[in-house]
Amino acid sequence: MDPGRAPTKRPTAGTADTAPGTTKTDRNTTDAEAAGHRPDTSSPADHTGTPHEDTPHGNGGRKDPGRAPAAVPDSTEEPPAGTAATEGGATERPHDAPVAGPDPARPAEDAVAAATGIATPATGAAAPPPGGELVERRLHPVTPLRRAWAPVAVLVGWAVHDPDQAQRQLTRLTTTHLLIGLAVLIPAAALYGFLTWWFTHYAVTDTELRIRTGLLFRRTAHIRLERIQAIDVTQPLLARVAGVAKLKLDVIGTGKKDELAFLGAGEARALRAELLARAAGFAPETAHEVGEAPARQLLRVPPGVLAVSLLLTGATWGTLIAAAVVPTLLWLATHNLWTVLATALPLVGAAGASSAGRFVGEYDWTVAESPDGLRIDHGLLDRAHETVPPGRVQTVRLVEPLLWRRRRWVRVELDVAGSSNSVLLPVAPREIAESVVARVLPGVSVPTGPELSRPPRRAARCRPLWWRGHGLAVTDAVFAARYGLLRRSLALVPHAKVQSVRLAQGPWRRALRLADVHVDTGANKTVTARLRDADEAAELLRAQAERSRTGRRDAPPDRWMA
């Protein structure tokens, strides 16, 4: 017996026999059990609170999420130098840095493991898979064609930056010089694309996704699986032709998305399903067998309805009229073609983006429900497959333009912490939209017009006529504020997502005894109840702070399939 090691207790029922010096937990032992807490063993349900109709086990047909056996580390040495700190779920360190030993920030977990003989999973750097050596994979072989455009883009950028110099250089070129330039540029671009593809690898370990890139300066991103909140699969037009897809990852605390571009379409979906299974707690050896969770379609927006909704949007007609009138007036006033083009092109681009661009991007919009969250598929040319993470929605807004009210159409927008997904429904009848909102925010009912209290009549001195568009309703679940007269917008903020509450009162509003109450969310956005009575605002400030504390205490965990 090792004199420096505590005596090992006899294995009890449900504990697997282990080799000397290594203690393993039962296959079904979770992190909470390893820490001494018994988790809820009830069948998981989707985020609506009811089991799925088409999933017999209530968890999307997935297998029992067992945990990988974890060994008690023998070494107590300090982590080696050169290991960077984790920031926002993605840790960068040299790719050849050794894996650190026990985390010095986890003395309690190590003490529990030593005393009880049950090892807890490490939360530091990931270890290689149980099967042995870490397997790194490359992107799809078509990727060099995408990377090869970088040298050409540099030349185009130089020509745009200094067009006069570029024109003088082009006039001096002969046919021989042009052929020599192409003979040098094309192989250089191909070599650059090949090398960047060759030196890009990714690997999935027990606890993280590693992406290693860089030709001259190497960069390794360590993305913790429990920090992943959404994984989107996008296919631009040329990628759809080539049969490849791009994987975009939303990670908590990061400003931009990490991506893997490009993978085979089937490989991208399989990797997405594996990462989501790992994030949900499935064991590494079974996560790749889980597959994509089944989904049930909730809504599909017909192309005709989408086109009519764009025609009934005031912004579309406003940009089209401006694109036709402003360049004409400038031509009559200046007779300068460059001035007209400099003004007309941005206006035409804005008009196209607000009408044709939105139609192409929101074409065939489909919303489906799965244990992973609400899935959104859309796009005519570039196809996107997005997921609304459960529990990460900070604000839901129901937008109602003036010309849509007769048809009772609304647009549903979202604020998701750390994610760029901002649209849930481009257009839908109000009743259907409210039912979808109830799935995003379980237990929340959308307040109707009579339930929203208007500001006092003296608020008309601050905002004549427009004060009628403001309203406020506070329920047991959400803080609801409406604003806008021609384009109404009703914002719903769950109490658990409120980060701070502020009361603002300028000199004019102080004289009228009015105040604004600002509610800040985790998505760095603010919802404001404007022009409220000063006494009402002070009481609202105090009560909302208490509701937020209670909501955060009772809120369910923000993780997959929780």
Side-chain angles (χ1 to χ4, degrees):
M1 178 182 297
D2 189 351
R5 185 178 302 278
T8 304
K9 296 182 179 180
R10 181 180 300 277
T12 58
T15 305
D17 294 337
T18 59
T22 303
T23 305
K24 296 184 179 179
T25 62
D26 186 88
R27 178 179 182 85
N28 294 326
T29 301
T30 62
D31 294 343
E33 291 172 333
H37 301 284
R38 177 72 58 181
D40 186 9
T41 57
S42 59
S43 300
D46 59 11
H47 57 275
T48 62
T50 57
H52 267 282
E53 299 175 1
D54 53 353
T55 55
H57 302 291
N59 62 351
R62 300 190 181 199
K63 298 181 180 179
D64 184 20
R67 284 287 185 181
V72 177
D74 294 333
S75 174
T76 58
E77 299 178 358
E78 296 294 330
T83 302
T86 302
E87 178 180 358
T91 307
E92 297 185 13
R93 61 171 179 240
H95 67 281
D96 55 348
V99 177
D103 191 347
R106 303 174 68 248
E109 289 82 348
D110 295 339
V112 171
T116 63
I118 300 178
T120 56
T123 58
E133 185 179 356
L134 181 66
V135 179
E136 291 189 334
R137 290 176 280 183
R138 287 193 175 91
L139 303 178
H140 194 275
V142 79
T143 306
L145 299 178
R146 168 180 176 261
R147 305 282 179 87
W149 286 99
V152 179
V154 172
L155 292 178
V156 173
W158 168 75
V160 173
H161 178 71
D162 193 354
D164 295 335
Q165 182 66 19
Q167 185 177 3
R168 285 195 295 269
Q169 294 295 335
L170 288 176
T171 55
R172 296 177 184 177
L173 290 179
T174 63
T175 304
T176 303
H177 292 159
L178 185 60
L179 292 177
I180 293 175
L182 292 176
V184 173
L185 179 62
I186 293 177
L191 180 62
Y192 174 81
F194 173 78
L195 291 178
T196 54
W197 168 77
W198 182 262
F199 286 100
T200 300
H201 303 81
Y202 72 95
V204 183
T205 69
D206 291 353
T207 59
E208 64 186 17
L209 169 67
R210 299 180 184 177
I211 304 177
R212 184 157 58 93
T213 59
L215 179 59
L216 300 178
F217 302 97
R218 308 306 300 273
R219 172 185 178 270
T220 303
H222 295 249
I223 303 173
R224 300 296 303 233
L225 297 181
E226 68 269 17
R227 305 285 290 178
I228 295 177
Q229 61 178 2
I231 303 177
D232 301 335
V233 179
T234 60
Q235 284 186 289
L237 179 60
L238 295 180
R240 294 174 64 184
V241 175
V244 296
K246 180 188 301 183
L247 213 62
K248 293 184 177 181
L249 298 97
D250 273 332
V251 182
I252 300 174
T254 58
K256 65 176 182 179
K257 292 185 178 183
D258 287 282
E259 65 177 32
L260 291 173
F262 286 96
L263 301 173
E267 182 183 2
R269 292 186 178 272
L271 179 59
R272 176 188 180 275
E274 179 181 356
L275 293 177
L276 292 182
R278 296 278 191 95
F282 283 81
E285 62 269 16
T286 59
H288 66 280
E289 302 175 356
V290 171
E292 192 169 18
R296 180 170 60 89
Q297 181 173 315
L298 299 177
L299 173 68
R300 179 180 176 272
V301 179
V305 173
L306 179 61
V308 173
S309 69
L310 293 176
L311 293 177
L312 296 179
T313 303
T316 300
W317 290 104
T319 53
L320 289 174
I321 293 174
V325 174
V326 174
T328 303
L329 295 178
L330 286 177
W331 173 255
L332 296 177
T334 63
H335 293 282
N336 189 324
L337 180 60
W338 295 108
T339 302
V340 173
L341 290 178
T343 306
L345 291 179
L347 291 175
V348 172
S354 63
S355 55
R358 276 184 54 180
F359 180 81
V360 171
E362 298 174 354
Y363 180 84
D364 193 27
W365 193 282
T366 305
V367 179
E369 185 181 36
S370 75
D372 297 334
L374 290 184
R375 296 181 185 172
I376 301 174
D377 293 273
H378 61 94
L380 178 60
L381 301 179
D382 298 349
R383 196 70 182 167
H385 179 85
E386 303 172 349
T387 303
V388 178
R392 298 297 299 174
V393 176
Q394 307 292 310
T395 308
V396 176
R397 284 185 300 276
L398 280 76
V399 182
E400 193 176 14
L402 177 63
L403 299 179
W404 288 15
R405 296 176 195 172
R406 186 175 181 180
R407 297 173 178 264
R408 293 185 58 80
W409 287 351
V410 295
R411 175 182 176 90
V412 182
E413 300 176 350
L414 301 173
D415 289 337
V416 182
S419 175
S420 60
N421 299 340
S422 60
V423 179
L424 179 61
L425 291 174
V427 58
R430 189 177 184 89
E431 293 77 10
I432 296 178
E434 291 180 357
S435 65
V436 176
V437 169
R439 297 179 182 273
V440 176
L441 303 178
V444 173
S445 59
V446 179
T448 59
E451 299 175 355
L452 297 168
S453 62
R454 285 184 176 179
R457 296 191 63 87
R458 60 180 181 275
R461 301 179 186 179
C462 290
R463 291 194 175 185
L465 188 64
W466 259 258
W467 71 276
R468 297 178 177 273
H470 296 286
L472 174 66
V474 180
T475 67
D476 294 337
V478 294
F479 177 94
R482 187 184 68 185
Y483 57 92
L485 189 61
L486 299 180
R487 186 177 185 267
R488 290 179 181 172
S489 179
L490 177 63
L492 307 175
V493 183
H495 297 313
K497 305 303 180 182
V498 175
Q499 301 295 318
S500 63
V501 185
R502 298 175 287 114
L503 188 147
Q505 191 178 36
W508 177 239
R509 297 190 181 186
R510 191 180 305 118
L512 295 175
R513 300 188 69 254
L514 299 173
D516 296 342
V517 178
H518 302 275
V519 171
D520 302 319
T521 68
N524 296 325
K525 300 295 181 64
T526 300
V527 175
T528 304
R530 300 186 183 276
L531 305 176
R532 309 310 302 180
D533 181 80
D535 295 336
E536 177 192 2
E539 176 62 22
L540 182 62
L541 179 69
R542 183 198 61 78
Q544 184 59 46
E546 181 62 28
R547 280 190 291 263
S548 300
R549 284 192 294 268
T550 305
R552 284 191 295 270
R553 183 185 61 197
D554 301 335
D558 293 344
R559 63 171 298 170
W560 299 106
M561 298 176 64

